[in-house]
C-alpha cells in the first residue's frame, strides 16, 4: 500500500551511513538507512541505546554530514527545521519569553509580532505567567515546555525531537505527550521523534520504526492502528498492548545482540 504523499516526501534518506574516527579505531555508528517521511507524518524511531538514533537526527538537522549516502529535506527554507533535544537546550541567561522568541528573532520577525507569537505559545503551554522569569527558576517539565514552545513558535515545517521527554517523570511525560499530540494534530508539522519508550512511540506515531543494534538500520515498521485525531486514551486499547509487545519482541532481540557483541 503506497502512500501517495511519499512521491513527495518532506524528508528522504538514501543509504545514509555514518562512521566516526578512522582506520582501526573507526566506529560504524549508523546505517545504511533509507527513509521517507511524508508531509504531516509523525514518525517515531525506537532502538537500543547507542544504535545511532541521535546520529541520524543530527544528520537530518544538518548538524552532521553522512559518511555516505544522501539525506534531503524539502522545505521552503532550512530554518523551517526545528530541533528539540533531551537536555532542552534553552538559554539560562534569557527570559522565558526571549527563549521562546529566539527562533523568531533569527528569522527577523518584527519584535511586536514575535512577542505576540511567543506569548501565544507560552499560553498554550500553560506558561503565560512565566514570560518574564528565567529558566533556572523553573522545574524540568516547565523548561521542556519552554523548549517545545520555542520550537513550535517558528511554525517549523519539520520538527526533529531527540528523546525530548526522557528526563521527565512518568506523569509529566504523559501530560506532555498528550499536549504534543494535540498540537501536532492541529498543525501540518512533519515530525521525526526519537524515543526509547515504546508507549510514547505508539501514542504519538503514525508510524513506528525499529532500529537494529549499532550500526543502526531500520529493521521494522509498524503503523499504530489508531485514527487521527487521536488522544492519550489509546493507551488503554487492547491493540495498544498487542503492538507494544510485538515491538518489544523486535527490540529485545536487538538489545540482546548488543549485549552479546
Ligand atoms: P543513540 O542516540 O542511538 O543512543 P548515538 O547516535 O548517540 O546513539 O551514537 C551511536 C554510536 O556512535 C555510539 O557508539 C556513539 O558512541 C558513537 N558516536 C556518536 N557521536 C560520536 C562522535 N561525535 N564521535 C565518536 N563517536 C560517536
Ligand atoms: Mg541518543
Amino acid at each position: 500500500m503506497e502512500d501517495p504523499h511519499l512521491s513527495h516526501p518532506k524528508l528522504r534518506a538514501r543509504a545514509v551511513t555514518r562512521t566516526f574516527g578512522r582506520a582501526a579505531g573507526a566506529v560504524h555508528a549508523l546505517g545504511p538507512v533509507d527513509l521517507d517521511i511524508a508531509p504531516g507524518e509523525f514518525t517515531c524511531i525506537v532502538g537500543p541505546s547507542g544504535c545511532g538514533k541521535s546520529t541520524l537526527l543530527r544528520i537530518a538537522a544538518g548538524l552532521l554530514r553522512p559518511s555516505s549516502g544522501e539525506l534531503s529535506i524539502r522545505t521552503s527554507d532550512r530554518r523551517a527545521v526545528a530541533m528539540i533535544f533531551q537536555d532542552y537546550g534553552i538559554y539560562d541567561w534569557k527570559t522565558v519569553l526571549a527563549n521562546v522568541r529566539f527562533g523568531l528573532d533569527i528569522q527577523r520577525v518584527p519584535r511586536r509580532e514575535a512577542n505576540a507569537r511567543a506569548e501565544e505559545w507560552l499560553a498554550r503551554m500553560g506558561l503565560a505567567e512565566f514570560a518574564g522569569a528565567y529558566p533556572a527558576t523553573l522545574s524540568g517539565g516547565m523548561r521542556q515546555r519552554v523548549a517545545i514552545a520555542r520550537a513550535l513558535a517558528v511554525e517549523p515545517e519539520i520538527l526533529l525531537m531527540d528523546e525530548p521527554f526522557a528526563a521527565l517523570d512518568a506523569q509529566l511525560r504523559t501530560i506532555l505527550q498528550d499536549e504534543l499530540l494535540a498540537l501536532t494534530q492541529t498543525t501540518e508539522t512533519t515530525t521525526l521523534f526519537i524515543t526509547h519508550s515504546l508507549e510514547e512511540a505508539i501514542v504519538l506515531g503514525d508510524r513506528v520504526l525499529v532500529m537494529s543494534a549499532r550500526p543502526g538500520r531500520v529493521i521494522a515498521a509498524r503503523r499504530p492502528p489508531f485514527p487521527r485525531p487521536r488522544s492519550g486514551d489509546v493507551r488503554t486499547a487492547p491493540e495498544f498492548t498487542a503492538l507494544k509487545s510485538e515491538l518489544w519482541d523486535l527490540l529485545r532481540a536487538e538489545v540482546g545482540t548488543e549485549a552479546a557483541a
Side-chain angles (χ1 to χ4, degrees):
M1 197 180 64
E2 264 303 302
D3 186 328
H5 276 110
L6 283 185
S7 46
H8 298 286
K10 276 281 183 189
L11 183 151
R12 164 173 289 185
R14 288 292 176 270
V16 168
T17 73
R18 176 69 202 205
T19 299
F20 292 104
R22 288 168 186 276
V27 173
H28 182 189
L30 177 72
V33 168
D34 291 292
L35 180 61
D36 280 336
I37 303 183
E41 186 183 33
F42 199 121
T43 299
C44 293
I45 295 188
V46 296
S49 169
C51 78
K53 301 181 296 297
S54 295
T55 300
L56 177 61
L57 214 75
R58 288 167 64 210
I59 291 172
L63 299 172
L64 195 66
R65 284 174 192 279
S67 300
S68 63
E70 277 183 22
L71 190 145
S72 59
I73 274 188
R74 192 171 59 84
T75 57
S76 49
D77 181 332
R78 186 92 210 173
R79 288 175 304 203
V81 180
M83 185 150 176
I84 302 178
F85 301 93
Q86 176 178 346
D87 62 0
Y88 320 136
I90 55 179
Y91 301 119
D92 281 328
W93 64 90
K94 287 179 184 281
T95 63
V96 165
L97 184 71
N99 265 284
V100 175
R101 209 182 51 219
F102 182 74
L104 301 171
D105 291 344
I106 288 178
Q107 289 184 354
R108 299 179 195 276
V109 174
R111 178 58 55 100
R112 272 179 72 155
E113 186 194 334
N115 277 335
R117 272 166 69 179
E119 278 165 7
E120 187 187 314
W121 277 100
L122 281 174
R124 286 175 90 162
M125 300 308 291
L127 291 170
E129 303 134 71
F130 298 94
Y134 284 87
T137 64
L138 306 182
S139 69
M142 291 160 81
R143 291 163 67 88
Q144 188 58 305
R145 283 181 214 209
V146 172
I148 292 170
R150 185 179 63 186
L152 294 175
V154 300
E155 293 168 9
E157 290 170 52
I158 300 183
L159 185 59
L160 304 171
M161 304 179 85
D162 192 359
E163 305 203 25
F165 306 147
L168 307 177
D169 67 55
Q171 261 176 314
L172 196 54
R173 198 154 61 209
T174 304
I175 292 168
L176 287 180
Q177 285 166 6
D178 291 358
E179 282 175 359
L180 185 64
L181 206 49
L183 291 172
T184 52
Q185 285 172 163
T186 55
T187 60
E188 270 292 289
T189 316
T190 305
T191 308
L192 180 56
F193 187 102
I194 291 182
T195 176
H196 60 251
S197 160
L198 295 176
E199 289 93 340
E200 189 160 273
I202 298 168
V203 168
L204 295 173
D206 292 307
R207 189 164 57 138
V208 180
L209 305 179
V210 180
M211 276 175 79
S212 68
R214 181 169 66 81
R217 287 153 290 117
V218 177
I219 54 165
R222 295 288 183 277
R223 289 188 177 272
F226 309 115
R228 306 256 184 206
R230 168 195 298 179
S231 79
D233 294 346
V234 300
R235 291 186 187 89
T236 56
E239 296 90 338
F240 186 93
T241 315
L243 182 55
K244 188 181 156 193
S245 79
E246 188 189 352
L247 288 170
W248 173 236
D249 284 343
L250 290 161
L251 200 56
R252 186 168 45 196
E254 291 306 318
V255 175
T257 309
E258 188 186 42

